[in-house]
Amino acid sequence: MLQSRYKYVFLWPALIALLAVIIFPLIYTVLLSFSGWSVNRIGLNWVGWANYARAIIDPRFWQSMGTLYTMVALCVLFEYVLGFALALLLWKQARAGRFFRVLFIVPMCVTPVIMAVVWRTIFHETLGPMNDVLGWFGIPPVNWLSTTTPAFATVIIIDVWQWTSFIFILMLAGLMSLPHEPFEAAQIDGAGPIRTFIHVIFPLMAPITLGALVIRLIESSKLMDTIYTLTSGGPGSSTETTSYMLYIRGLREFQIGYTASLSILYLIIMLVGLTVFAKAMTRMMRIAPSAH
Amino acid sequence: MIAKVMLLSGAAVAALCVFTPVRAETVDYNAEYGVTDVPGICSYADTDKKDYTGKKITILTHAVPVMGEPVELHSKQFEELTGGKVEVVHAPFGELYQKIMIPFQTGQHIYDIVYGGSYWIGDWAPYLEPVPQKYLDTAEMKDITPAYQGVATWNGQRLQYTFDGDRNYFKYYAPPFQNEENKKKFKEKYGRDLAVPTTWDEYDQVAEFFSGWDWMGDGKTHYGSTEIVARDNVAFSNFITRVASHAKNPNVKGGFWFDLETMTPQVNNPGFVRGLEMWVKALRYMPPGGINFGIAEEIFSWGGGESLMSVTWDDAFVQAQQPDSPIQNKVLVGSPIGPSMGSLEVWNRASKKWDKFEKPSIAPYVTWGWGAGVTKSSKEKEMAFDWFCFFSNYANTNHDEMIGRFGVNPFRTSHMDSNYWMKGAGWSQEVADSFVKMLKGMDTSTNRVFDLRVPGVNQYYTAMMNGVAKAMAGEMKPQAALDEVAAEWKRITEEIGVDVVREAYKNVVRLEDNE
């Protein structure tokens, strides 16, 4: 009995620290979201649901959510397809695999802001090499950062360049840990590479796929530093994601209370969205093996 | 014996006093610091007499070089002279506002001196210490032009310590206007003589003509105009410059941004809309990627001869006029009739009609410059004000203004003298005369536009630029975009309080209406 009490005594400081670090900021944000704290109204002055009512009809917020969802969906889709393809390519290449594993980690290790600056130079309409390269193939120059669709594509290209390696590493690790028996069985059944991929590799990799996708969806949805450095949300509002919009509302305009309500709303939408996505994916992956 | 010793000691002390001059009298400040010290309480010599040993102030300023570099430089000198410690914290422009407002609002003392946009004065006012009278009485302060004294004043109190004066004005690379071949081609195309433009219509026509070909003769493609368009940069100033002459009517008093009586936003009136429509079209005459040009890109683009004309700050011009510039003394400022572009039609918000003018009506924009002040929470206010006094003394200002990247621009009456620029910066008579003419034109204009210096100005400006950016990118028509902005401005005004904004805006209207 005494021993068990000691156990709690030692446990409590860590728990309290954890609560203070995780729970307190969240509760404080909720409190802020019900306040009118702004540049000229300081403090937790209660405004009820006013901020949420405004948020619901704020077109800029919903537009930024739409931009974010489209951007994230495309980023993660490309990263998954490319990362998985690369992992399959290097799966059984022992020596090359080691080299490329190290090589592919490099983009992930670079600070996004720095890379955005480098990419901005690469995509620069007159000074950057990208249009020169296109010119070699007879393709006319593209206004990468000054027209809406190319600017949107540029953000995706940078994110895919930086984070495909994350999917690659996870998928490669997953492939290397797969059991041999299903492959032997497929071979005996006369399955070719495509059938083996569809009916053996893909279903076996489903749990890792789900984990990788959810992690990337969470990370991509916070896309802010690249946007900040590369496009400032422009041209127009074409690359304004929710995180960037929250930054502008909160720290440039100093609408602290309102931004807190947008953050909470954003958090709820993300939690619901990710839960629905994870559930749907789990269901799909349960179906996939039975189809086989 | 004792008396002898005392007598000798006394004599020795007296001799020391006579023959050991104080540091202030022996140091050659001009040689040591590379400046020309001018006597006064802010001078190097007088600052040297102050002793702040054991004391420390912290300054938040912009990143190096613009304003960050001169603050760093003069802080080190101040430390050497006074023995005090000056800690300088740098932040990019986009971060300054929050870094200042968070400690202000939460009652923390972090900075003794804060730097930022002078147009934030409405938000800063409750937290800044008024400048004491003894500093207002200095020659340096009295020499500041009335417009910039007004910019630093809030409800009759001088809250910002003036060390910079900014303006947006027309500047151009002159040789192509003299080229006979250009004159001939221009006449053939437009049916009129090629001349330095005086209105926005002419500006856009000249920009169109000079866009997309090598008029410089260096084998590169050049363009008509470089402006600051990048969203969330300082493009709001360029937008204001673009709309001012269409929307600021010299015959209508009582508010450019709002109708002071009704507090109806004017940001979507036909004058603003026309300015925006023309700006959208002008994108065609800007260098590739021009829609993403911030102030740095503008300085290098126009300063490097990529385009013919620009209508922005002094920095690009001062940069182009530095001794190492390939276009030094080939650039001029101001049109033949004023510091900026004018308009033959100006919207009259009272009659709701366009007023026609025989000569172009110009509305120069006294754009925000750097503003700074001593925080009320500072425990070393005297040292902080002495630092400001030293920072903006004649010697330092005269030095800093000659270096484009420092971001210190003319703000004193004594700067409106061609000799000042010819001797100090090596400018030609023609360039110096055109610059001084522009400065004086700005100073004497009675139809100027100032920033919207009210609480929540960042909300107003980001809302405005969100709409403007949509129009510039072709996402919305200018009228629809500015209608959206006006609706948001109405909401912001109601949220802050109509009377609060009106009272604050009266400070701006006083400047606009030259009261």
Side-chain angles (χ1 to χ4, degrees):
Chain A
M1 184 67 184
L2 196 66
Q3 204 179 10
S4 115
R5 271 185 199 167
Y6 273 129
K7 198 165 67 186
Y8 286 115
V9 169
F10 284 114
L11 206 60
W12 269 112
L15 271 175
I16 289 168
L18 202 68
L19 284 171
V21 170
I22 295 172
I23 304 295
F24 173 74
L26 200 63
I27 292 172
Y28 194 71
T29 309
V30 172
L31 283 174
L32 267 177
S33 74
F34 289 102
S35 80
W37 192 325
S38 68
V39 73
N40 64 322
R41 263 192 240 160
I42 306 158
L44 292 171
N45 44 71
W46 176 259
V47 293
W49 293 93
N51 286 333
Y52 286 95
R54 186 183 151 198
I56 296 290
I57 54 164
D58 185 344
R60 194 169 165 185
F61 175 67
W62 295 108
Q63 193 182 347
S64 72
M65 285 293 280
T67 305
L68 177 73
Y69 269 100
T70 315
M71 204 175 263
V72 166
L74 289 170
C75 283
V76 176
L77 178 71
F78 285 125
E79 284 160 17
Y80 176 69
V81 172
L82 280 173
F84 200 1
L86 285 170
L88 285 168
L89 209 66
L90 297 171
W91 176 20
K92 295 195 173 153
Q93 314 287 327
R95 277 193 184 177
R98 266 198 294 276
F99 170 74
F100 282 107
R101 252 176 283 164
V102 175
L103 187 73
F104 288 155
I105 287 172
V106 173
M108 229 166 43
C109 301
V110 186
T111 314
V113 173
I114 304 294
M115 276 329 294
V117 173
V118 173
W119 280 102
R120 196 173 63 177
T121 313
I122 293 170
F123 284 110
H124 192 283
E125 274 88 342
T126 48
L127 305 173
M130 186 56 84
N131 277 342
D132 291 338
V133 173
L134 292 181
W136 297 340
F137 300 99
I139 302 169
V142 176
N143 293 328
W144 289 105
L145 299 172
S146 47
T147 40
T148 52
T149 309
F152 190 85
T154 305
V155 176
I156 292 172
I157 290 169
I158 296 172
D159 198 75
V160 169
W161 174 84
Q162 184 145 35
W163 294 108
T164 295
S165 47
F166 176 79
I167 302 274
F168 163 74
I169 299 287
L170 282 187
M171 300 310 271
L172 187 64
L175 287 170
M176 291 169 87
S177 64
L178 291 181
H180 293 286
E181 293 79 6
F183 292 94
E184 286 165 6
Q187 207 172 10
I188 292 164
D189 286 349
I194 295 170
R195 283 172 67 90
T196 307
F197 174 77
I198 293 169
H199 298 294
V200 180
I201 300 175
F202 196 73
L204 286 174
M205 289 292 286
I208 294 163
T209 297
L210 181 62
L213 289 181
V214 170
I215 292 170
R216 276 308 301 142
L217 284 172
I218 293 170
E219 280 301 310
S220 289
S221 65
K222 290 186 278 189
L223 198 62
M224 153 76 194
D225 26 24
T226 307
I227 307 271
Y228 178 88
T229 315
L230 196 74
T231 62
S232 299
S237 55
S238 58
T239 58
E240 186 176 81
T241 58
T242 316
S243 315
Y244 186 76
M245 185 256 194
L246 291 178
Y247 162 74
I248 296 290
R249 287 275 197 236
L251 294 172
R252 288 268 175 94
E253 298 182 1
F254 232 69
Q255 300 190 60
I256 306 292
Y258 180 56
T259 309
S261 72
L262 290 175
S263 306
I264 296 294
L265 213 54
Y266 170 69
L267 182 70
I268 293 167
I269 293 167
M270 288 310 295
L271 283 176
V272 171
L274 283 170
T275 309
V276 170
F277 173 79
K279 286 263 183 204
M281 285 293 286
T282 313
R283 194 169 295 164
M284 268 173 62
M285 282 158 190
R286 273 186 199 143
I287 292 164
S290 62
H292 168 65
Chain B
M1 181 66 184
I2 293 168
K4 258 187 184 176
V5 170
M6 283 180 71
L7 196 67
L8 281 171
S9 307
V13 170
L16 273 172
C17 289
V18 172
F19 296 110
T20 313
V22 291
R23 178 180 148 79
E25 286 165 327
T26 56
V27 176
D28 182 354
Y29 299 103
N30 298 354
E32 196 167 330
Y33 293 105
V35 293
T36 307
D37 199 22
V38 178
I41 68 160
C42 303
S43 66
Y44 277 74
D46 276 37
T47 305
D48 200 1
K49 291 176 191 161
K50 289 160 190 160
D51 182 10
Y52 287 118
T53 309
K55 293 186 175 180
K56 181 190 163 191
I57 54 169
T58 304
I59 301 172
L60 173 67
T61 186
H62 188 246
V64 171
V66 180
M67 207 46 69
E69 200 173 334
V71 169
E72 196 81 59
L73 170 71
H74 300 311
S75 293
K76 276 187 191 139
Q77 295 166 341
F78 188 82
E79 284 182 337
E80 286 168 18
L81 294 167
T82 66
K85 173 95 182 98
V86 183
E87 187 187 355
V88 181
V89 179
H90 298 276
F93 187 75
E95 310 297 315
L96 278 176
Y97 185 76
Q98 72 208 48
K99 278 189 182 288
I100 293 165
M101 289 309 293
I102 289 170
F104 275 175
Q105 288 207 342
T106 52
Q108 295 171 298
H109 170 66
I110 299 179
Y111 308 113
D112 298 279
I113 291 173
V114 289
Y115 273 72
S118 60
Y119 65 104
W120 295 336
I121 196 168
D123 293 334
W124 283 4
Y127 311 101
L128 291 187
E129 184 73 14
V131 179
Q133 193 60 41
K134 77 167 182 174
Y135 300 99
L136 295 177
D137 291 339
T138 60
E140 282 95 336
M141 274 287 196
K142 286 182 174 170
D143 193 13
I144 295 166
T145 65
Y148 295 110
Q149 288 187 32
V151 164
T153 304
W154 190 254
N155 289 335
Q157 279 192 314
R158 192 80 66 85
L159 294 182
Q160 292 178 342
Y161 208 107
T162 308
F163 51 87
D164 177 39
D166 284 22
R167 55 200 72 71
N168 271 11
Y169 57 87
F170 170 61
K171 44 189 180 271
Y172 61 101
Y173 180 62
F177 285 96
Q178 311 304 326
N179 184 294
E180 292 303 324
E181 189 67 21
N182 291 345
K183 285 181 182 176
K184 197 179 147 199
K185 282 184 189 166
F186 189 88
K187 179 103 179 176
E188 280 169 11
K189 188 168 182 186
Y190 299 103
R192 69 175 182 94
D193 290 333
L194 172 64
V196 174
T198 57
T199 65
W200 281 114
D201 289 299
E202 290 176 5
Y203 181 97
D204 288 346
Q205 201 174 58
V206 171
E208 183 192 44
F209 177 76
F210 282 102
S211 197
W213 57 284
D214 178 20
W215 40 259
M216 183 84 97
D218 60 359
K220 294 176 187 164
T221 305
H222 294 267
Y223 300 89
S225 174
T226 296
E227 296 173 53
I228 301 166
V229 193
R231 207 185 107 128
D232 296 337
N233 198 280
V234 287
F236 62 87
S237 287
N238 221 135
F239 173 66
I240 297 167
T241 298
R242 273 273 176 180
V243 299
S245 291
H246 306 292
K248 176 75 167 66
N249 194 314
N251 304 320
V252 179
K253 304 286 180 196
F256 168 73
W257 294 107
F258 289 94
D259 177 337
L260 196 58
E261 274 182 29
T262 61
M263 288 307 285
T264 309
Q266 295 301 307
V267 71
N268 61 336
N269 77 28
F272 276 81
V273 174
R274 180 175 289 181
L276 180 55
E277 283 169 349
M278 291 179 78
W279 204 26
V280 173
K281 282 184 194 159
L283 276 173
R284 284 180 280 177
Y285 323 130
M286 295 183 198
I291 199 169
N292 286 319
F293 277 16
I295 188 163
E297 288 85 358
E298 185 263 341
I299 289 172
F300 290 115
S301 171
W302 185 79
E306 191 178 22
S307 71
L308 184 75
M309 304 181 290
S310 185
V311 192
T312 55
W313 275 271
D314 302 74
D315 307 279
F317 180 73
V318 177
Q319 188 73 27
Q321 275 299 99
Q322 295 209 163
D324 57 348
S325 164
I327 55 172
Q328 193 197 20
N329 290 328
K330 290 176 188 163
V331 286
L332 293 172
V333 300
S335 84
I337 60 158
S340 188
M341 290 295 104
S343 177
L344 290 168
E345 278 191 336
V346 185
W347 179 251
N348 185 325
R349 70 163 165 74
S351 66
K352 301 209 182 303
K353 284 178 184 165
W354 289 97
D355 286 349
K356 294 194 187 307
F357 291 78
E358 281 187 17
K359 284 183 180 173
S361 170
I362 300 172
Y365 168 39
V366 184
T367 186
W368 60 280
W370 290 101
V374 173
T375 58
K376 270 188 180 160
S377 64
S378 171
K379 290 179 178 64
E380 301 294 349
K381 291 189 181 77
E382 193 184 348
M383 183 180 170
F385 277 116
D386 276 343
W387 181 90
F388 259 134
C389 182
F390 172 73
F391 177 77
S392 62
N393 69 24
Y394 276 121
N396 288 337
T397 305
N398 296 352
H399 169 267
D400 297 348
E401 273 187 344
M402 305 304 156
I403 302 168
R405 67 177 187 278
F406 275 19
V408 177
N409 297 313
F411 61 98
R412 290 191 175 121
T413 309
S414 56
H415 300 153
M416 294 183 192
D417 175 4
S418 296
N419 287 323
Y420 177 78
W421 300 99
M422 286 158 66
K423 284 181 188 166
W427 293 5
S428 71
Q429 177 90 48
E430 188 189 15
V431 174
D433 285 350
S434 90
F435 188 66
V436 167
K437 188 183 163 198
M438 178 277 298
L439 290 179
K440 285 181 178 168
M442 209 86 186
D443 205 50
T444 54
S445 169
T446 52
N447 191 38
R448 287 174 298 194
V449 167
F450 291 81
D451 282 288
L452 179 64
R453 295 141 39 84
V454 297
V457 59
N458 270 12
Q459 277 188 65
Y460 286 104
Y461 273 2
T462 52
M464 180 172 82
M465 290 318 290
N466 191 42
V468 169
K470 284 180 184 173
M472 294 300 276
E475 287 178 15
M476 288 178 94
K477 296 275 181 206
Q479 181 72 63
L482 292 181
D483 285 347
E484 198 178 89
V485 175
E488 181 66 4
W489 275 32
K490 213 172 161 203
R491 192 203 59 73
I492 297 167
T493 307
E494 278 162 10
E495 185 187 274
I496 294 173
V498 176
D499 290 335
V500 173
V501 180
R502 181 187 282 118
E503 278 309 303
Y505 186 49
K506 279 180 185 169
N507 284 296
V508 186
V509 173
R510 271 183 218 121
L511 295 171
E512 287 172 358
D513 292 350
N514 302 288
E515 287 169 2

